[in-house]
Amino acid sequence: MKNFNIKAVLFLNYFVFAILLNSVGTVILQMQQNFGITKSSASVLEGFKDLPIAICSFILASFLPKIGIKKSMLIALFLVSCMCFVMPFANNFWFFKLLFTIVGISFALIKISVFTSIGLVTNTDKEHSSFMGYLEGFFMIGVLAGNVLFSLFIDDHDPKSTHWLNVYWVLGGVSTLSFLFLFFTKLDESDAKSEKTDLLGDLRNSISLFSYKKVLFFLLCAFLFVLVEQSFQTWTPTFYKEILKVPTSMSIQAGAVLAGAFALGRFLSGFFSKKFSWIYVVSFCVVGFAISILLVLPLTHNIHINTNTNWFNAPLVVYLFPLMGGLLAPIYPSINSVILASIPKYLHSAMAGLIVVFSAIGGTVGSIITGFVFQEFSGQQAFYLSLIPLSLLIVSAIIMNKLKINPKK
């Protein structure tokens, strides 16, 4: 297979950061149990993760091809490897703020590099869309693996136990392995560079993207989608623990089931993107997810679960809730691919930076709002609230589909 080695590296890098980024839901739950942190206070961890992603993406997006795509990914993997080896000794909330800050900075480098690299290793719009779907699906496999991994280190009998921190030895090892794999892999970056411009010219190219209405509506779509997605991913463990009253390890495993549903949905998007227009896929998913919220959330009221509950004897809603993620999953790779395929390859880094910035802001806003509503009202009302951004998302996607981009503009 052409470009097999570098494609494998992109999958592995995404896998590593999927685990680290999406561990925030588990960490928020453990912070409440280990250190007595409130929900609203713990929700700021999403900001410590997402704001560095947004800031660094905005600063680095235009310059990254000149810095070097491969070099940027190596720096990111080195930083998170070092931080992971520090975390088993963490004994205060600020350690986790620092962890997610480092993870956020590093992911900014990784995601821009990965999104830029996709254009270098694919040849057609459909191939681009398909590879994006499979890559995002593998990202969710990483989320699934991360939730299962963390749950294996949880002590259900001692909520105050910090034994779970030993999981970071494993994550440090995986990050180091990814670093070594990338170090010995070649990547031709020439097409990602515009030889006609200097750094100031690259910055002008990035700013010029805002002149396209299609880009503006895309960024709104990305913001709204991640707002909803991150709300569910981050707060599912807490929802299972406090609303459904299942054991802590099972709450974290529910996050793995949600990730599995996301992975399946994104792998299927890689298939369906070859068969149907992206707008049909996105519209079906948004409407289906909204309907599933209205049907499933009412089942979570007045649930009676005893201490012996496990995955073999749990009520139906325990399984249904995370499976909704399968409907939400195809939206992100679909909209990302269509906008990247609409612009020249030398602008992919700048566009990837904007994707990361608006996604990060959406994730932070979504998590903080959900955490606040969860604490002040209820978990159900926090998730019902997602119907508002979902409605705005489908309207924005329809408008985006009608707009065109002329690269020569």
Side-chain angles (χ1 to χ4, degrees):
M1 183 190 296
K2 187 179 179 181
N3 297 314
F4 175 79
N5 285 349
I6 189 60
K7 286 181 178 179
V9 167
L10 298 182
F11 276 106
L12 182 57
N13 287 350
Y14 240 36
F15 182 82
V16 170
F17 277 88
I19 296 175
L20 290 167
L21 283 166
N22 289 278
S23 66
V24 67
T26 298
V27 172
I28 283 176
L29 176 58
Q30 291 303 104
M31 289 301 95
Q32 296 174 62
Q33 298 190 140
N34 286 170
F35 303 118
I37 305 296
T38 64
K39 292 181 183 66
S40 56
S41 296
S43 70
V44 302
L45 285 179
E46 196 78 55
F48 276 90
K49 170 174 68 74
D50 287 338
L51 292 181
I53 293 176
I55 294 169
C56 291
S57 297
F58 183 78
I59 295 172
L60 295 171
S62 302
F63 311 142
L64 188 138
K66 285 185 169 63
I67 296 171
I69 295 172
K70 179 177 175 179
K71 186 183 296 183
S72 298
M73 289 192 284
L74 287 172
I75 291 171
L77 291 166
F78 176 78
L79 289 174
V80 296
S81 296
C82 293
M83 195 64 209
C84 282
F85 290 129
V86 170
M87 290 310 295
F89 307 102
N91 58 5
N92 198 285
F93 190 37
W94 70 264
F95 273 95
F96 297 91
K97 294 178 180 179
L98 178 61
L99 168 68
F100 285 110
T101 299
I102 296 296
V103 168
I105 292 170
S106 301
F107 185 63
L109 293 170
I110 287 288
K111 190 163 186 177
I112 296 172
S113 299
V114 169
F115 275 28
T116 304
S117 299
I118 294 174
L120 303 178
V121 299
T122 58
N123 299 313
T124 67
D125 290 354
K126 286 191 174 181
E127 187 184 353
H128 190 290
S129 179
S130 180
F131 185 76
M132 177 75 80
Y134 290 131
L135 186 66
E136 292 287 352
F138 199 73
F139 183 87
M140 299 315 301
I141 293 293
V143 178
L144 185 158
N147 279 282
V148 172
L149 182 63
F150 271 86
S151 72
L152 296 177
F153 286 80
I154 296 294
D155 186 349
D156 286 325
H157 303 292
D158 182 10
K160 294 289 185 180
S161 173
T162 57
H163 173 73
W164 66 278
L165 292 174
N166 288 315
V167 73
Y168 287 103
W169 291 116
V170 178
L171 297 179
V174 175
S175 300
T176 302
L177 179 64
S178 187
F179 176 93
L180 294 173
F181 193 11
L182 174 61
F183 186 81
F184 292 106
T185 301
K186 293 182 180 180
L187 173 63
D188 181 3
E189 306 178 21
S190 56
D191 286 348
K193 300 177 181 179
S194 175
E195 303 298 339
K196 299 178 182 178
T197 61
D198 54 14
L199 291 180
L200 187 59
D202 288 338
L203 185 58
R204 281 197 295 266
N205 282 336
S206 297
I207 295 174
S208 71
L209 288 170
F210 287 103
S211 65
Y212 299 112
K213 290 182 180 179
K214 185 166 187 169
V215 170
L216 296 177
F217 276 98
F218 160 75
L219 294 174
L220 179 58
C221 288
F223 170 85
L224 292 169
F225 170 79
V226 180
L227 186 151
V228 175
E229 178 197 44
Q230 209 61 49
S231 298
F232 276 82
Q233 286 190 347
T234 299
W235 290 98
T236 287
T238 300
F239 185 85
Y240 267 67
K241 177 65 178 176
E242 299 197 2
I243 303 300
L244 301 182
K245 308 294 185 183
V246 302
T248 301
S249 59
M250 191 173 169
S251 300
I252 295 169
Q253 288 162 5
V257 178
L258 177 65
F262 263 91
L264 178 60
R266 286 188 173 167
F267 282 130
L268 288 175
S269 78
F271 171 77
F272 285 115
S273 63
K274 294 181 179 180
K275 306 289 184 181
F276 304 100
S277 171
W278 72 274
I279 190 62
Y280 294 128
V281 175
V282 169
S283 299
F284 175 83
C285 291
V286 172
V287 173
F289 187 74
I291 292 173
S292 67
I293 288 175
L294 295 173
L295 294 177
V296 174
L297 280 182
L299 301 178
T300 64
H301 291 280
N302 303 317
I303 289 249
H304 299 289
I305 294 180
N306 58 50
T307 56
N308 297 318
T309 297
N310 55 51
W311 288 107
F312 297 103
N313 59 16
L316 179 63
V317 69
V318 172
Y319 308 101
L320 290 178
F321 185 82
L323 293 179
M324 295 191 301
L327 287 167
L328 197 62
I331 299 172
Y332 196 58
S334 296
I335 61 174
N336 284 343
S337 180
V338 75
I339 199 67
L340 287 170
S342 300
I343 61 177
K345 289 183 179 180
Y346 71 86
L347 286 175
H348 281 199
S349 175
M351 190 69 246
L354 293 180
I355 291 172
V356 178
V357 168
F358 281 81
S359 298
I361 295 172
T364 299
V365 171
S367 180
I368 291 175
I369 291 175
T370 303
F372 174 79
V373 176
F374 199 134
Q375 179 174 294
E376 299 299 324
F377 300 96
S378 72
Q380 288 92 344
Q381 289 184 337
F383 288 138
Y384 276 129
L385 200 63
S386 64
L387 293 171
I388 297 174
L390 284 172
S391 301
L392 296 174
L393 172 58
I394 194 168
V395 172
S396 301
I398 291 171
I399 296 173
M400 173 186 162
N401 184 55
K402 294 181 178 180
L403 299 172
K404 304 294 181 184
I405 286 181
N406 179 6
K408 296 181 180 180
K409 181 177 177 180

